Amino acid sequence: MRYFILLILIQGISGVQGVSAQDMDSTSIKQIDSLIQISKSYTLKRNFDSAFVLIATADSIAVDHKGKPTLSNASIYFNKGMIYFEKQDYKQSEKYLLQATTIYKNILGDQHPYYANCLKNLSNLYFEIGNYSKAEELNLEEKAIRKNALASNPFEYITCLNNLAGVYQATGKYSNAEEITIEAKVVCEESLGKQHPEYVKILNNLAIIYFNIADYERAEPLFKEAMNIRELSFGRQHPDFAASLNNLALLYETMGNYDLAEPMYLESKSIIEMVYGTEHSDYVMCLHNLSALYWSMGKFEKAEPLNLEAKQIIELTLGKEHPDYANSLNNLATLYQTLGNYAKAELFYLEAVRIREKILGKQHPDYAYSLNSLATLYKQMGKTERAEQLYFEILQIMEGSVGKNHPYYALGMHNLANLYFESSKTDQAEKYFKQAIDIRKKSLGKRHPDYALVLNDLAGLKMSQGKYIVAEKLYKEVLDIQKEALGTEHPNYTNTLK
């Protein structure tokens, strides 16, 4: 799994709601505010026990007034929800954020910034647990509030637009994401200027949209513009410049230009290590991305130690029951699968599945991602029935979380088709190949490399049936797409020529 870093597609739980005077003396208000601020610092250090103790102390001061909740109660609920979010106890986080939202709405009204902040954080929570429809609903409500206050606070409106674009990307609505991000870019340019860090982040977000739809010609200049602004503003030793290097490197890696990607990844890693040290999440992302590059290049002896280092850092800083630890296990498992160490790969895949099920639930796309990796392993091991069961489970999860028109759903169809093809069930294979082609054509377009991949596999099926004219036509279309999107030096293009 590769990562873009330091973007604002989705903000984490943000802000600390202050306490407003409402039937409370000023001393109590100051005490509660102080306790909340200190609890936030503990939360950032992941010292959740101490954070909860301080919030409980604040709660004991903020007694309901005449049986009715006060703003102080809302502030405490909000920040308690923030602690649970960072702890990844999403059910408890939702409970307290909903309580805070209700109180703020009843006391301050549905146009107040505190109410809008609750909507933002609830939306981000639903995004994290894969409930994208609810996330979108709350983002849209927040957007209407922020737009009314645009003149006085353009930053919050821009942030809201970026978060909404992130939801659209997650659900495969790339045209909607592009439209919203362009609006954010225009507002930011007019209100904050082109040298503002937020404008640079928007350039990156727009580039990522184009990257996801394989429009690399539009993605590359945006990544470069963002990098140039950051270099002029902060210099080459700043983490934001490192983020731009990383993002541009990922683009070049995807395009098969490994010689350009590697030095950029290495420079990005060096900057992050110098600024943050080796226990920071961005350093771990650099390790994963560099490892993935070496995997693509077939330099497995360089990939493995980087993955192991990342795994060790996550274990020490976040623990073994964290989604990032599951990501690290999944990456290692993929490497061991490639090396033919199926027993070790299965062990890591199963552990990643267990962690994601525990934290995210069995209906989350990331849980389905883990199942997909495991199913691919079983297919390679010849455990066809088990792989088939998992692929159908994946399709069911994806249908419920992102819908049948999402590229992820098409991936499930594609993998199932390949399974049937390898099992000589050509009729079933052709059925699922064609469904995957139809979805990818609608969601990504006919010039996307992923669309070409399914066409390529369908062409192979036609070859096996002796339908050489049909196969030749498909292969020519694949080469045409790959040449345009990736270039003639890309491994996918050269493999198709063979």
Side-chain angles (χ1 to χ4, degrees):
M1 181 180 290
R2 294 144 171 94
Y3 304 87
F4 290 103
I5 61 176
L6 294 177
L7 303 174
I8 54 167
L9 284 173
I10 288 292
Q11 305 268 356
I13 288 283
S14 61
V16 172
Q17 307 283 73
V19 180
S20 299
Q22 184 202 40
D23 302 316
M24 289 186 65
D25 61 88
S26 59
T27 301
S28 296
I29 291 171
K30 288 179 181 179
Q31 284 180 322
I32 293 170
D33 263 335
S34 177
L35 289 165
I36 288 173
Q37 291 294 338
I38 298 171
S39 77
K40 183 187 178 185
S41 68
Y42 280 124
T43 301
L44 292 173
K45 296 173 184 176
R46 301 189 65 78
N47 187 345
F48 301 123
D49 291 340
S50 297
F52 279 126
V53 168
L54 291 165
I55 285 293
T57 305
D59 204 9
S60 68
I61 298 171
V63 180
D64 288 359
H65 179 73
K66 297 178 183 179
K68 295 182 180 180
T70 64
L71 290 176
S72 58
N73 298 124
S75 179
I76 290 164
Y77 292 149
F78 178 91
N79 290 289
K80 192 180 287 189
M82 179 182 75
I83 299 170
Y84 277 119
F85 180 91
E86 295 298 333
K87 197 179 178 184
Q88 281 139 10
D89 187 340
Y90 297 125
K91 287 185 179 179
Q92 287 296 312
S93 179
E94 180 187 23
K95 170 187 171 183
Y96 286 107
L97 287 174
L98 284 171
Q99 289 179 355
T101 303
T102 300
I103 297 171
Y104 282 129
K105 184 177 183 180
N106 289 341
I107 296 176
L108 301 175
D110 61 4
Q111 296 298 308
H112 196 278
Y114 281 7
Y115 176 71
N117 286 344
C118 284
L119 293 177
K120 172 170 66 176
N121 290 319
L122 272 171
S123 173
N124 292 340
L125 183 149
Y126 290 128
F127 182 92
E128 287 295 322
I129 63 176
N131 189 343
Y132 300 126
S133 60
K134 191 67 178 175
E136 180 183 358
E137 175 190 333
L138 294 177
N139 264 142
L140 288 170
E141 184 180 355
E142 183 203 353
K143 178 174 176 282
I145 300 169
R146 302 294 192 190
K147 192 166 187 178
N148 288 335
L150 175 59
S152 60
N153 196 345
F155 182 85
E156 286 293 350
Y157 183 65
I158 293 165
T159 299
C160 179
L161 291 176
N162 280 316
N163 288 345
L164 181 58
V167 175
Y168 286 142
Q169 281 221 69
T171 52
K173 299 175 182 176
Y174 297 115
S175 59
N176 293 38
E178 180 187 15
E179 180 184 349
I180 289 291
T181 306
I182 288 173
E183 182 184 353
K185 180 174 177 286
V186 171
V187 173
C188 189
E189 186 175 344
E190 292 176 351
S191 59
L192 303 177
K194 284 187 173 184
Q195 299 304 311
H196 195 279
E198 212 62 28
Y199 181 78
V200 181
K201 292 176 183 178
I202 293 167
L203 291 178
N204 271 312
N205 290 343
L206 190 57
I208 290 171
I209 295 169
Y210 294 139
F211 173 90
N212 284 332
I213 61 174
D215 192 342
Y216 304 135
E217 288 186 4
R218 284 202 285 179
E220 184 179 11
L222 289 169
F223 278 139
K224 284 184 172 180
E225 183 183 354
M227 186 171 71
N228 290 336
I229 294 172
R230 283 172 166 168
E231 183 175 5
L232 288 172
S233 300
F234 307 122
R236 294 181 68 93
Q237 300 303 311
H238 194 278
D240 285 3
F241 179 75
S244 283
L245 281 173
N246 176 86
N247 296 342
L248 195 56
L250 179 52
L251 174 69
Y252 290 141
E253 179 192 349
T254 305
M255 295 170 68
N257 197 334
Y258 303 141
D259 290 339
L260 275 179
E262 183 180 11
M264 287 184 169
Y265 276 141
L266 288 169
E267 186 179 355
S268 177
K269 174 177 170 288
S270 177
I271 296 166
I272 293 297
E273 182 177 359
M274 182 188 68
V275 176
Y276 292 136
T278 59
E279 295 187 354
H280 194 275
S281 59
D282 286 350
Y283 180 75
V284 173
M285 290 181 188
C286 288
L287 293 176
H288 279 312
N289 286 345
L290 191 56
S291 172
L293 172 69
Y294 289 138
W295 181 87
S296 298
M297 296 170 71
K299 296 182 178 181
F300 305 124
E301 73 285 352
K302 287 189 173 184
E304 183 181 15
L306 292 169
N307 267 326
L308 289 170
E309 184 184 355
K311 174 177 170 288
Q312 184 180 23
I313 294 169
I314 295 168
E315 184 177 341
L316 289 172
T317 56
L318 300 174
K320 290 185 174 184
E321 300 297 309
H322 193 281
D324 288 357
Y325 188 73
N327 291 343
S328 185
L329 290 174
N330 213 90
N331 292 342
L332 267 170
T334 301
L335 176 64
Y336 291 133
Q337 180 181 343
T338 305
L339 293 171
N341 191 340
Y342 298 146
K344 206 166 187 178
E346 182 180 17
L347 185 68
F348 284 159
Y349 279 142
L350 287 170
E351 180 65 4
V353 168
R354 184 196 65 78
I355 295 168
R356 282 175 168 156
E357 179 181 352
K358 178 182 177 182
I359 296 172
L360 303 173
K362 297 180 76 169
Q363 299 304 312
H364 196 283
D366 285 354
Y367 174 73
Y369 172 80
S370 280
L371 290 183
N372 183 74
S373 299
L374 185 60
T376 303
L377 173 68
Y378 286 146
K379 178 169 74 76
Q380 197 167 337
M381 294 171 68
K383 297 182 178 181
T384 305
E385 290 185 7
R386 186 67 185 118
E388 182 182 16
Q389 291 171 357
L390 289 174
Y391 282 138
F392 276 116
E393 184 178 351
I394 291 161
L395 288 174
Q396 186 178 23
I397 296 168
M398 289 303 181
E399 181 179 352
S401 59
V402 297
K404 285 186 171 184
N405 294 316
H406 196 281
Y408 289 172
Y409 189 81
L411 176 63
M413 289 281 186
H414 189 182
N415 288 337
L416 192 56
N418 275 323
L419 178 71
Y420 286 137
F421 180 37
E422 291 176 18
S423 305
S424 300
K425 298 178 180 179
T426 54
D427 289 344
Q428 288 170 282
E430 184 169 358
K431 169 188 170 185
Y432 286 108
F433 276 138
K434 287 182 175 179
Q435 288 185 37
I437 286 169
D438 186 52
I439 296 168
R440 282 183 170 159
K441 181 166 61 176
K442 290 176 181 176
S443 60
L444 300 174
K446 295 179 69 173
R447 311 310 294 172
H448 196 284
D450 287 354
Y451 176 76
L453 285 177
V454 196
L455 288 181
N456 185 77
D457 289 342
L458 180 60
L461 183 145
K462 293 299 181 184
M463 283 285 289
S464 72
Q465 295 174 327
K467 299 178 180 179
Y468 303 121
I469 295 175
V470 176
E472 182 183 10
K473 182 180 178 182
L474 288 169
Y475 279 133
K476 284 181 177 179
E477 185 177 356
V478 170
L479 285 169
D480 184 48
I481 296 168
Q482 291 175 338
K483 183 177 181 180
E484 180 182 328
L486 304 172
T488 57
E489 300 301 316
H490 195 279
N492 287 6
Y493 181 81
T494 55
N495 287 337
T496 303
L497 281 176
K498 294 175 184 178

